[in-house]
Short mmCIF file of all heavy atoms in Angstrom, two decimals:
data_model
loop_
_atom_site.label_atom_id
_atom_site.label_comp_id
_atom_site.label_asym_id
_atom_site.label_seq_id
_atom_site.Cartn_x
_atom_site.Cartn_y
_atom_site.Cartn_z
N ASP A 783 -83.18 65.36 50.02
CA ASP A 783 -82.72 66.61 50.61
C ASP A 783 -83.53 67.82 50.16
O ASP A 783 -83.20 68.95 50.47
CB ASP A 783 -81.24 66.84 50.32
CG ASP A 783 -80.96 67.06 48.85
OD1 ASP A 783 -81.88 66.95 48.03
OD2 ASP A 783 -79.80 67.34 48.51
N GLY A 784 -84.61 67.61 49.43
CA GLY A 784 -85.48 68.71 49.01
C GLY A 784 -85.17 69.26 47.64
O GLY A 784 -85.86 70.14 47.15
N ALA A 785 -84.12 68.78 46.99
CA ALA A 785 -83.77 69.27 45.65
C ALA A 785 -84.74 68.68 44.63
O ALA A 785 -85.23 67.57 44.79
CB ALA A 785 -82.34 68.87 45.30
N SER A 786 -85.02 69.46 43.59
CA SER A 786 -85.88 68.94 42.53
C SER A 786 -85.12 67.88 41.74
O SER A 786 -83.89 67.85 41.74
CB SER A 786 -86.35 70.05 41.61
OG SER A 786 -85.28 70.52 40.82
N CYS A 787 -85.85 67.02 41.06
CA CYS A 787 -85.21 65.95 40.27
C CYS A 787 -84.29 66.52 39.21
O CYS A 787 -83.22 65.98 38.96
CB CYS A 787 -86.28 65.08 39.61
SG CYS A 787 -87.21 64.11 40.80
N VAL A 788 -84.69 67.61 38.58
CA VAL A 788 -83.84 68.20 37.54
C VAL A 788 -82.57 68.75 38.17
O VAL A 788 -81.49 68.63 37.61
CB VAL A 788 -84.59 69.29 36.75
CG1 VAL A 788 -83.69 69.97 35.76
CG2 VAL A 788 -85.78 68.67 36.02
N SER A 789 -82.68 69.34 39.37
CA SER A 789 -81.49 69.85 40.04
C SER A 789 -80.50 68.72 40.29
O SER A 789 -79.30 68.88 40.12
CB SER A 789 -81.86 70.50 41.37
OG SER A 789 -82.65 71.64 41.17
N VAL A 790 -81.00 67.57 40.68
CA VAL A 790 -80.15 66.41 40.92
C VAL A 790 -79.53 65.93 39.61
O VAL A 790 -78.38 65.50 39.57
CB VAL A 790 -80.95 65.28 41.61
CG1 VAL A 790 -80.12 64.01 41.71
CG2 VAL A 790 -81.41 65.72 42.99
N ALA A 791 -80.27 66.04 38.53
CA ALA A 791 -79.82 65.53 37.24
C ALA A 791 -78.84 66.46 36.53
O ALA A 791 -78.26 66.08 35.53
CB ALA A 791 -81.02 65.27 36.33
N VAL A 792 -78.66 67.68 37.03
CA VAL A 792 -77.78 68.63 36.36
C VAL A 792 -76.41 68.00 36.15
O VAL A 792 -75.81 67.47 37.06
CB VAL A 792 -77.66 69.94 37.17
CG1 VAL A 792 -76.52 70.78 36.65
CG2 VAL A 792 -78.96 70.71 37.10
N GLY A 793 -75.94 68.05 34.94
CA GLY A 793 -74.65 67.50 34.60
C GLY A 793 -74.70 66.05 34.17
O GLY A 793 -73.74 65.52 33.68
N ALA A 794 -75.82 65.42 34.37
CA ALA A 794 -75.94 64.01 34.00
C ALA A 794 -76.15 63.86 32.50
O ALA A 794 -76.70 64.74 31.86
CB ALA A 794 -77.10 63.37 34.75
N ASP A 795 -75.73 62.73 31.96
CA ASP A 795 -75.96 62.46 30.54
C ASP A 795 -77.46 62.38 30.29
O ASP A 795 -78.22 61.90 31.12
CB ASP A 795 -75.31 61.14 30.13
CG ASP A 795 -73.79 61.24 30.13
OD1 ASP A 795 -73.28 62.37 29.98
OD2 ASP A 795 -73.13 60.21 30.29
N GLY A 796 -77.89 62.87 29.17
CA GLY A 796 -79.29 62.78 28.81
C GLY A 796 -80.15 63.88 29.38
O GLY A 796 -81.37 63.80 29.32
N ILE A 797 -79.54 64.92 29.93
CA ILE A 797 -80.34 66.00 30.53
C ILE A 797 -81.22 66.67 29.48
O ILE A 797 -82.31 67.13 29.79
CB ILE A 797 -79.43 67.03 31.25
CG1 ILE A 797 -80.27 68.02 32.08
CG2 ILE A 797 -78.58 67.80 30.26
CD1 ILE A 797 -80.96 67.40 33.24
N ASP A 798 -80.78 66.67 28.22
CA ASP A 798 -81.59 67.29 27.18
C ASP A 798 -82.93 66.58 27.03
O ASP A 798 -83.95 67.21 26.77
CB ASP A 798 -80.84 67.33 25.84
CG ASP A 798 -80.37 65.97 25.38
OD1 ASP A 798 -80.05 65.12 26.23
OD2 ASP A 798 -80.30 65.76 24.16
N VAL A 799 -82.96 65.28 27.26
CA VAL A 799 -84.21 64.53 27.20
C VAL A 799 -85.14 64.98 28.32
O VAL A 799 -86.33 65.18 28.12
CB VAL A 799 -83.94 63.01 27.28
CG1 VAL A 799 -85.25 62.24 27.36
CG2 VAL A 799 -83.10 62.56 26.11
N VAL A 800 -84.57 65.15 29.51
CA VAL A 800 -85.37 65.60 30.66
C VAL A 800 -85.91 67.00 30.40
O VAL A 800 -87.09 67.28 30.64
CB VAL A 800 -84.53 65.58 31.96
CG1 VAL A 800 -85.30 66.17 33.11
CG2 VAL A 800 -84.07 64.17 32.27
N VAL A 801 -85.06 67.88 29.90
CA VAL A 801 -85.48 69.26 29.65
C VAL A 801 -86.58 69.32 28.61
O VAL A 801 -87.58 70.02 28.79
CB VAL A 801 -84.27 70.14 29.22
CG1 VAL A 801 -84.72 71.51 28.78
CG2 VAL A 801 -83.29 70.24 30.37
N GLU A 802 -86.42 68.58 27.54
CA GLU A 802 -87.43 68.58 26.48
C GLU A 802 -88.72 67.91 26.94
O GLU A 802 -89.80 68.26 26.47
CB GLU A 802 -86.88 67.90 25.24
CG GLU A 802 -85.80 68.72 24.55
CD GLU A 802 -85.16 67.98 23.39
OE1 GLU A 802 -85.72 66.97 22.93
OE2 GLU A 802 -84.10 68.42 22.94
N ALA A 803 -88.63 66.96 27.84
CA ALA A 803 -89.81 66.22 28.28
C ALA A 803 -90.80 67.10 29.01
O ALA A 803 -92.00 66.94 28.87
CB ALA A 803 -89.40 65.04 29.17
N SER A 804 -90.33 68.06 29.77
CA SER A 804 -91.26 68.89 30.53
C SER A 804 -90.62 70.18 31.00
O SER A 804 -89.71 70.16 31.81
CB SER A 804 -91.79 68.11 31.72
OG SER A 804 -92.61 68.94 32.51
N ALA A 805 -91.15 71.29 30.52
CA ALA A 805 -90.66 72.59 30.98
C ALA A 805 -91.02 72.78 32.45
O ALA A 805 -90.36 73.53 33.17
CB ALA A 805 -91.24 73.71 30.13
N ARG A 806 -92.05 72.08 32.92
CA ARG A 806 -92.43 72.18 34.33
C ARG A 806 -91.31 71.71 35.23
O ARG A 806 -91.11 72.27 36.32
CB ARG A 806 -93.69 71.38 34.62
CG ARG A 806 -94.93 72.00 34.04
CD ARG A 806 -96.15 71.28 34.49
NE ARG A 806 -95.89 69.85 34.67
CZ ARG A 806 -96.81 68.92 34.70
NH1 ARG A 806 -98.07 69.25 34.58
NH2 ARG A 806 -96.50 67.66 34.86
N LEU A 807 -90.57 70.70 34.83
CA LEU A 807 -89.45 70.25 35.64
C LEU A 807 -88.38 71.32 35.74
O LEU A 807 -87.76 71.51 36.79
CB LEU A 807 -88.84 68.97 35.06
CG LEU A 807 -89.67 67.70 35.20
CD1 LEU A 807 -88.99 66.55 34.46
CD2 LEU A 807 -89.88 67.35 36.66
N VAL A 808 -88.16 72.04 34.66
CA VAL A 808 -87.15 73.09 34.64
C VAL A 808 -87.60 74.28 35.48
O VAL A 808 -86.78 75.04 35.98
CB VAL A 808 -86.83 73.52 33.19
CG1 VAL A 808 -85.80 74.61 33.13
CG2 VAL A 808 -86.34 72.32 32.40
N ASP A 809 -88.90 74.41 35.69
CA ASP A 809 -89.43 75.48 36.53
C ASP A 809 -89.58 75.08 37.99
O ASP A 809 -89.96 75.89 38.83
CB ASP A 809 -90.79 75.95 36.00
CG ASP A 809 -90.66 76.92 34.85
OD1 ASP A 809 -89.64 77.64 34.81
OD2 ASP A 809 -91.56 76.96 34.00
N ALA A 810 -89.29 73.83 38.33
CA ALA A 810 -89.42 73.37 39.71
C ALA A 810 -88.47 74.15 40.61
O ALA A 810 -87.42 74.62 40.17
CB ALA A 810 -89.12 71.87 39.79
N GLU A 811 -88.86 74.31 41.87
CA GLU A 811 -88.03 75.01 42.84
C GLU A 811 -87.70 74.10 44.00
O GLU A 811 -88.51 73.27 44.39
CB GLU A 811 -88.76 76.24 43.37
CG GLU A 811 -89.06 77.28 42.32
CD GLU A 811 -89.86 78.45 42.85
OE1 GLU A 811 -89.89 78.65 44.09
OE2 GLU A 811 -90.46 79.16 42.04
N ASP A 812 -86.49 74.27 44.55
CA ASP A 812 -86.14 73.51 45.74
C ASP A 812 -86.60 74.27 46.99
O ASP A 812 -87.32 75.26 46.88
CB ASP A 812 -84.64 73.18 45.76
CG ASP A 812 -83.74 74.40 45.92
OD1 ASP A 812 -84.24 75.49 46.27
OD2 ASP A 812 -82.52 74.26 45.70
N ASP A 813 -86.18 73.84 48.14
CA ASP A 813 -86.62 74.45 49.40
C ASP A 813 -86.13 75.88 49.58
O ASP A 813 -86.63 76.60 50.45
CB ASP A 813 -86.17 73.60 50.59
CG ASP A 813 -86.82 72.23 50.61
OD1 ASP A 813 -87.89 72.07 49.97
OD2 ASP A 813 -86.28 71.32 51.25
N HIS A 814 -85.16 76.29 48.80
CA HIS A 814 -84.62 77.65 48.88
C HIS A 814 -85.13 78.52 47.73
O HIS A 814 -84.61 79.61 47.51
CB HIS A 814 -83.10 77.62 48.88
CG HIS A 814 -82.53 76.79 49.98
ND1 HIS A 814 -82.50 77.21 51.29
CD2 HIS A 814 -82.01 75.54 49.98
CE1 HIS A 814 -81.97 76.26 52.04
NE2 HIS A 814 -81.66 75.24 51.26
N SER A 815 -86.10 78.00 47.01
CA SER A 815 -86.68 78.67 45.85
C SER A 815 -85.70 78.77 44.69
O SER A 815 -85.83 79.62 43.82
CB SER A 815 -87.22 80.07 46.23
OG SER A 815 -88.04 80.57 45.20
N CYS A 816 -84.69 77.89 44.68
CA CYS A 816 -83.75 77.83 43.56
C CYS A 816 -84.35 76.96 42.47
O CYS A 816 -84.87 75.88 42.74
CB CYS A 816 -82.42 77.21 43.99
SG CYS A 816 -81.43 78.27 45.03
N LYS A 817 -84.25 77.44 41.26
CA LYS A 817 -84.64 76.65 40.09
C LYS A 817 -83.40 75.89 39.61
O LYS A 817 -82.28 76.20 40.00
CB LYS A 817 -85.19 77.56 39.01
CG LYS A 817 -86.53 78.18 39.39
CD LYS A 817 -87.15 78.94 38.25
CE LYS A 817 -88.47 79.50 38.67
NZ LYS A 817 -89.58 78.91 37.98
N PRO A 818 -83.58 74.91 38.74
CA PRO A 818 -82.43 74.17 38.23
C PRO A 818 -81.35 75.07 37.60
O PRO A 818 -80.16 74.76 37.70
CB PRO A 818 -83.05 73.23 37.19
CG PRO A 818 -84.41 72.97 37.75
CD PRO A 818 -84.85 74.30 38.32
N LEU A 819 -81.76 76.19 37.01
CA LEU A 819 -80.76 77.11 36.44
C LEU A 819 -79.86 77.66 37.55
O LEU A 819 -78.64 77.79 37.36
CB LEU A 819 -81.45 78.25 35.69
CG LEU A 819 -80.53 79.23 34.97
CD1 LEU A 819 -79.71 78.51 33.89
CD2 LEU A 819 -81.34 80.36 34.35
N HIS A 820 -80.42 77.99 38.70
CA HIS A 820 -79.61 78.44 39.84
C HIS A 820 -78.61 77.36 40.23
O HIS A 820 -77.42 77.64 40.42
CB HIS A 820 -80.50 78.74 41.06
CG HIS A 820 -81.33 79.97 40.97
ND1 HIS A 820 -82.50 80.00 40.26
CD2 HIS A 820 -81.16 81.19 41.50
CE1 HIS A 820 -83.03 81.21 40.37
NE2 HIS A 820 -82.24 81.95 41.12
N VAL A 821 -79.12 76.14 40.38
CA VAL A 821 -78.28 75.03 40.81
C VAL A 821 -77.15 74.78 39.80
O VAL A 821 -76.00 74.56 40.17
CB VAL A 821 -79.12 73.75 41.04
CG1 VAL A 821 -78.23 72.56 41.39
CG2 VAL A 821 -80.16 73.99 42.13
N LEU A 822 -77.49 74.86 38.53
CA LEU A 822 -76.48 74.70 37.49
C LEU A 822 -75.38 75.74 37.63
O LEU A 822 -74.19 75.44 37.51
CB LEU A 822 -77.13 74.80 36.11
CG LEU A 822 -76.20 74.68 34.91
CD1 LEU A 822 -75.69 73.26 34.78
CD2 LEU A 822 -76.91 75.11 33.64
#
Side-chain angles (χ1 to χ4, degrees):
D783 66 356
S786 70
C787 291
V788 175
S789 295
V790 173
V792 167
D795 290 335
I797 190 67
D798 56 329
V799 174
V800 175
V801 172
E802 290 175 15
S804 175
R806 288 187 327 199
L807 289 175
V808 180
D809 279 331
E811 297 176 18
D812 67 14
D813 295 339
H814 303 285
S815 193
C816 288
K817 291 187 179 247
L819 184 62
H820 287 80
V821 176
L822 179 71

